[in-house]
Amino acid sequence: MLVNEAYTSKCKALANTEVKKKPSYRGKRIERGLYKTNNGTYINADLNGALNMAKKSMSKTNLKLGIGSSGGVDTPRE
């Protein structure tokens, strides 16, 4: 499925809002690779954009995006 990536890096992925053009954006990319939300939460900018693209595609198919964590993290080793 092709998804238009417009506004996906400007909108907060963790909010329950539609990804679209807005008069102003509360969060912002503060440096390459890092997005800061209006409440001070930091998220990887690429992950933020990818989650928003998933939101956009799932809204077309009436699916819900569950954002959360299982609590487990695997650290890569060299």
Side-chain angles (χ1 to χ4, degrees), residues 3-62:
V3 178
N4 185 340
E5 62 184 65
Y7 313 108
T8 56
S9 64
K10 293 184 175 200
C11 296
K12 178 179 168 184
L14 302 176
N16 192 18
T17 58
E18 185 179 358
V19 180
K20 64 179 184 176
K21 184 175 181 177
K22 299 176 183 175
S24 65
Y25 300 93
R26 295 181 180 170
K28 63 181 178 178
R29 212 179 263 237
I30 60 169
E31 63 182 54
R32 182 166 176 82
L34 192 59
Y35 180 87
K36 183 178 179 183
T37 65
N38 61 323
N39 68 358
T41 302
Y42 292 92
I43 184 171
N44 177 280
D46 292 334
L47 177 60
N48 185 67
L51 288 171
N52 278 327
M53 289 183 75
K55 269 184 172 178
K56 286 179 88 169
S57 68
M58 289 183 178
S59 67
K60 293 177 184 176
T61 58
N62 292 326

